[in-house]
DNA sequence: ACCTGAACACCGTTCAAGT
DNA sequence: ACCTGAACACCGTTCAAGT
């Protein structure tokens, strides 16, 4: 992200890409100090500009947060895709893989994850790009479902609906885990992984007797 | 909540139970105008006291929000218990009932639900009462699971772990629904109910072939 | 076009003073 | 014991002025 543009320009004023620098700075502050520390003036200072400069690139604070969240969805999608590239073949194995990827992402980026899905700080409706980015994640889940159906390992039901169920389960596990609501099950190393695997297994096999 | 204490006292200063009045006022502002509108000065004004008065009852704004969230968990637990009283007998039917109750509560109290689980605005660790209140909800789910196991309709696995899976699924459905992330499935009247029923059915029957 | 510095309104929090 | 009113620090946002 920090290209050599910084040096090329004889420090006219500042960045070549302040917009991106602000998103980057916000992302860092979020992961380091939490949502309360994400104030516009500090983000600007961290990016090396005055507190009014961000308004050249974002209409308001909400817009910056929306951009940060969008970047979050892109990263989440990348992490899931990376897992899909590693785990090829068996769709059910892929299911476990992307489940782990989702919960891992939440554990590694709890503040970002909270912002991405909170609906508390920004009006999601006002930022269509956000919705688009989250849809990508949904699509990845649906692809795996479809592959499982083709392979005969997943029942033949509307794959979109099934993807919704899968996503809901994983989202619940992820959020309740980072809010420490699943203790003591998620305690200890690998605890969250075990809970995730168990959850997916239960969804796959069902709670009823076979 | 508004007892006759208000009238008995010759308006010395104000309330007999300002603490409760503040929680009540906050709850109303939250559901009417959202999280952004929940500022301490306005809550105080709504309760009829000066902006400094709340500090006699709450250490800071976070503490008031924690109290509001706790009340939220109590109400959620009540709603679930009410459903359990209506739907007696078959544990699997109860499962569907409490699932619907959870998602309904989220739909009727989206802002409260977001606050209750966000982890964005308050440090949950600092408020043990909150954790206790949320545990009650978990316990209700576990009871139903246990009953299902006794009736032979649910497999014999650690009921706590199963309750965690069930809660995760429902929490995911609830949150993704109120953030409009499950569209178009949740659109229209009864849409969310259908999604919820479908999700529980999938968990019960499993995604694999029988 | 992009950024700065001053200015404004508003909110969380504190504290001395009132009954 | 409970509440008020003034005061303070800080943040989001705006705007005229600078290059």
């Amino acid at each position: 992200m920090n290209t050599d543009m910084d040096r090329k320009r004889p420090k006219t004023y500042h960045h070549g890409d302040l917009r991106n620098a602000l998103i980057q700075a916000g992302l860092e502050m979020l992961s380091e100090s939490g949502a309360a520390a994400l104030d516009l003036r500090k983000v600007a200072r961290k990016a090396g500009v005055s507190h009014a400069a961000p308004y050249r690139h974002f209409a308001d604070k909400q817009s910056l947060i929306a951009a940060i969240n969008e970047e979050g969805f892109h990263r989440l999608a990348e992490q899931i895709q990376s897992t899909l590239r590693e785990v090829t073949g068996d769709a059910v194995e892929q299911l476990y893989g992307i489940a782990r990827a989702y919960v891992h992402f939440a554990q590694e980026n709890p503040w970002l994850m909270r912002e991405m899905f909170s609906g508390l700080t920004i009006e999601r409706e006002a930022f269509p790009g956000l919705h688009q980015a989250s849809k990508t994640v949904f699509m990845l889940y649906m692809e795996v479902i479809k592959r499982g159906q083709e392979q005969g390992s997943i029942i033949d039901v509307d794959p979109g609906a099934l993807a919704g169920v899968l996503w809901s389960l994983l989202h619940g596990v992820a959020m309740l885990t980072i809010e420490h609501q699943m203790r003591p099950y998620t305690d200890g190393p690998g605890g969250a992984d075990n809970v995730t695997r168990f959850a997916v297994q239960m969804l796959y096999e069902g709670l009823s007797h076979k």
Side-chain angles (χ1 to χ4, degrees), chain A:
Chain A
M1 289 295 125
N2 279 320
T3 66
D4 45 6
M5 298 189 79
D6 305 35
R7 267 169 283 119
K8 266 180 188 162
R9 303 210 178 176
K11 249 184 183 162
T12 56
Y13 264 111
H14 278 96
H15 298 77
D17 189 6
L18 179 57
R19 188 193 141 88
N20 240 303
L22 288 167
I23 294 175
Q24 213 61 30
L27 236 15
E28 282 170 30
M29 294 181 60
L30 195 60
S31 76
E32 283 164 16
S33 323
L38 194 66
D39 80 86
L40 212 44
R41 292 170 99 107
K42 276 185 198 138
V43 172
R45 202 184 313 149
K46 180 156 190 166
V49 292
S50 82
H51 60 262
Y55 288 90
R56 286 295 116 199
H57 300 273
F58 298 101
D60 49 24
K61 190 185 177 184
Q62 277 201 33
S63 301
L64 170 61
I65 294 181
I68 290 174
N69 290 352
E70 204 174 322
E71 173 65 18
F73 277 112
H74 290 318
R75 291 186 183 185
L76 173 57
E78 271 169 32
Q79 197 144 317
I80 293 172
Q81 277 169 319
S82 149
T83 302
L84 288 180
R85 263 180 255 114
E86 283 173 31
V87 188
T88 50
D90 190 355
V92 176
E93 278 309 309
Q94 287 191 317
L95 218 64
Y96 282 98
I98 60 180
R100 222 178 35 238
Y102 196 87
V103 178
H104 272 187
F105 184 84
Q107 286 190 289
E108 284 158 24
N109 310 278
W111 288 109
L112 180 55
M113 195 74 177
R114 285 191 264 251
E115 284 287 2
M116 283 163 62
F117 289 97
S118 90
L120 264 182
T121 36
I122 70 165
E123 292 175 64
R124 311 186 100 264
E125 308 295 314
F127 303 95
L130 249 185
H131 194 256
Q132 196 50 45
S134 72
K135 209 161 194 173
T136 305
V137 174
F138 180 83
M139 288 303 182
L140 290 172
Y141 282 103
M142 192 159 74
E143 292 305 320
V144 176
I145 296 279
K146 279 183 180 166
R147 208 166 301 138
Q149 292 176 326
E150 286 163 15
Q151 295 177 359
S153 51
I154 292 178
I155 54 173
D156 211 10
V157 182
D158 175 4
L162 286 185
V165 174
L166 177 62
W167 189 12
S168 293
L169 178 65
L170 298 179
H171 188 67
V173 170
M175 300 315 282
L176 294 179
T177 294
I178 66 177
E179 303 306 350
H180 304 298
Q181 213 85 48
M182 298 283 269
R183 281 180 180 161
Y185 294 99
T186 49
D187 281 346
D193 269 3
N194 292 336
V195 168
T196 306
R197 191 181 323 113
F198 179 73
V200 174
Q201 188 190 344
M202 287 301 102
L203 176 61
Y204 186 65
E205 298 180 358
L207 300 189
S208 64
H209 291 284
K210 306 198 190 85

